[in-house]
Amino acid sequence: MNRIPPSTSSSSETGLVPSPQGWPQPLRWRPPLVTPEEYAELMVGLMRESRLSLNYLMLVLGSCVIATLGLLANSPAVIIGAMIVAPLMLPIRGMAMGALDGNVVLFRTGILSLTVGTGIGVGVSFLLGWWVGLPNWGSEILARTQPNLLDLGVALAAGGIGAFARVRKEIADSLAGVAIAVALMPPVCVIGLGLAHAEWEISLGATLLYSTNLLGIALACMVTFLLMGYAPLHKARSGLVWMFGLVMVLLVPLAASMTQLLYQSRLEWALRTALLNRTITFQRVTLLRSEFNWVVNPPEVVLSVRADEPVTPRQVTLLEEFVAAEVGRPFTLIFQVVQDQEVRREMPAPEEPESDPEVNPTEATLSPRPRGIITPY
């Protein structure tokens, strides 16, 4: 609470040291000064947001049900609606500020609310996934099982904007967009869905994504609050070091996943280029979709194509060797060929004319004549 009131001089507000000529020089950056009233208002607001209340529990429960059903239905619109409702970002901001300023009560309150909210999300999604029992996973579920460095970048940006919007109330309307960008509730629901079907890889991938979002938001909030002058550096140093260390631990699996994503993009581009432009054999083949299996070694690439003629094993071998030389890594290529075939409905047979019993069928067909006329000899 011992904050220095802001000075009336413009140089103190901007953090610039004036030169003898009167022009400000950026010799040393200084954080903006925060009044005791502003500091107290922020702490009271964060404590109120981080508290485990009935409103918080109802929002968590509702957003979890919406997100789980949207994931099972593979509906992006429903999942976006759950992101807006989910309140998980509120206790993360309180936890970050508590760790930054050394406020144990605020830190514990945020941790408790976040733990309870995460547990409710995993439990409800587990029950819904076990009750529905879908045999296959949709693309929306699989998309949240392979996080990479891009997801960490999104979490850092969203956390910084969320903390800044908490300090500047005039931009509080942007919090809905921040909630959509960071997507905390969907990976929690994917964890429960994976546990319901004993798909441990699904749950582990979603756990990594949730941890990435959580730590990225917390670190960005801490840095933003520090730069805004709401915590002195000597008190914030310990919390920042711990949070930065946890984020660095996540960099190892995220970097590995990013490398895999880059290789997958390069491999898919090489295959498309080879099929379309660089091979004569497959120029009449249309690529429908491609799937990658990174569990086996070497990885498998399944290409679903449409072709006029069958694809031979010799052609697959040549293409596999050609693309492997391009990307510099071996892989197994598998073709699923759908042949073009034109099929129409069966046309009814034409009706035959009725035959006259007094007339020879052969004569009636070859030389029809009117009845009653006798052909002369």
Side-chain angles (χ1 to χ4, degrees), residues 105-192:
V105 177
L106 181 58
F107 180 78
R108 290 179 177 177
T109 303
I111 285 290
L112 176 62
S113 299
L114 185 63
T115 303
V116 173
T118 304
I120 292 176
V122 174
V124 172
S125 59
F126 175 86
L127 294 176
L128 289 176
W130 174 78
W131 179 63
V132 175
L134 287 180
N136 298 321
W137 302 116
S139 58
E140 292 295 330
I141 295 178
L142 297 178
R144 288 164 175 85
T145 59
Q146 296 180 346
N148 50 59
L149 293 177
L150 300 179
D151 297 293
L152 179 59
V154 172
L156 291 173
I161 297 175
F164 188 77
R166 184 62 187 81
V167 176
R168 302 294 179 90
K169 295 182 179 180
E170 57 269 19
I171 61 172
D173 295 338
S174 64
L175 289 181
V178 173
I180 295 175
V182 73
L184 284 166
M185 184 55 72
V188 173
C189 298
V190 174
I191 296 174

Side-chain angles (χ1 to χ4, degrees), residues 275 280-287 303-313 315-316 335-342:
L275 289 176
I280 301 177
T281 305
F282 294 99
Q283 284 185 356
R284 289 176 292 178
V285 171
T286 303
L287 180 61
L303 300 180
S304 298
V305 299
R306 184 172 61 244
D308 298 333
E309 300 176 357
V311 178
T312 64
Q315 294 172 344
V316 175
F335 271 83
Q336 293 180 349
V337 183
V338 179
Q339 294 186 357
D340 285 336
Q341 184 179 3
E342 183 176 328

Side-chain angles (χ1 to χ4, degrees), residues 5-294:
S7 175
T8 56
S9 63
S10 60
S11 60
S12 301
E13 295 177 357
T14 57
L16 302 178
V17 180
S19 65
Q21 293 79 12
W23 292 94
Q25 299 292 333
L27 298 179
R28 185 177 58 182
W29 180 87
R30 296 176 182 176
L33 300 177
V34 178
T35 63
E37 292 77 12
E38 293 174 340
Y39 174 78
E41 182 183 359
L42 176 66
M43 299 301 289
V44 171
L46 290 176
M47 179 63 73
R48 182 171 55 252
E49 293 177 354
S50 304
R51 189 176 294 114
L52 193 62
S53 61
L54 179 61
N55 295 337
Y56 175 80
L57 294 177
M58 291 302 297
L59 289 177
V60 168
L61 181 61
S63 63
C64 176
V65 173
I66 296 174
T68 304
L69 296 179
L71 290 168
L72 293 175
N74 203 35
S75 174
V78 177
I79 298 174
I80 292 175
M83 297 175 191
I84 300 176
V85 178
L88 293 179
M89 190 173 181
L90 302 180
I92 296 179
R93 292 191 303 192
M95 178 192 68
M97 186 61 191
L100 185 71
D101 198 47
N103 192 325
V104 180
V105 177
L106 181 58
F107 180 78
R108 290 179 177 177
T109 303
I111 285 290
L112 176 62
S113 299
L114 185 63
T115 303
V116 173
T118 304
I120 292 176
V122 174
V124 172
S125 59
F126 175 86
L127 294 176
L128 289 176
W130 174 78
W131 179 63
V132 175
L134 287 180
N136 298 321
W137 302 116
S139 58
E140 292 295 330
I141 295 178
L142 297 178
R144 288 164 175 85
T145 59
Q146 296 180 346
N148 50 59
L149 293 177
L150 300 179
D151 297 293
L152 179 59
V154 172
L156 291 173
I161 297 175
F164 188 77
R166 184 62 187 81
V167 176
R168 302 294 179 90
K169 295 182 179 180
E170 57 269 19
I171 61 172
D173 295 338
S174 64
L175 289 181
V178 173
I180 295 175
V182 73
L184 284 166
M185 184 55 72
V188 173
C189 298
V190 174
I191 296 174
L193 292 175
L195 293 177
H197 293 267
E199 295 284 348
W200 313 119
E201 294 182 0
I202 298 292
S203 297
L204 289 177
T207 302
L208 179 59
L209 177 59
Y210 178 66
S211 302
T212 301
N213 293 336
L214 170 62
L215 296 179
I217 291 174
L219 178 60
C221 287
M222 294 174 69
V223 173
T224 303
F225 287 140
L226 176 65
L227 295 179
M228 296 295 293
Y230 283 89
L233 182 59
H234 67 276
K235 295 178 63 176
R237 185 179 293 110
S238 177
L240 283 173
V241 169
W242 274 99
M243 190 61 63
F244 186 77
L246 293 175
V247 173
M248 291 299 295
V249 172
L250 289 178
L251 289 181
V252 177
L254 293 179
S257 181
M258 187 68 182
T259 303
Q260 178 176 301
L261 177 63
L262 293 176
Y263 170 71
Q264 176 179 338
S265 301
R266 185 182 176 188
L267 179 58
E268 187 172 0
W269 176 84
L271 286 171
R272 287 183 178 274
T273 304
L275 289 176
L276 296 177
N277 303 323
R278 305 184 62 177
T279 57
I280 301 177
T281 305
F282 294 99
Q283 284 185 356
R284 289 176 292 178
V285 171
T286 303
L287 180 61
L288 301 178
R289 66 179 182 272
S290 57
E291 299 177 358
F292 296 82
N293 183 10
W294 302 99

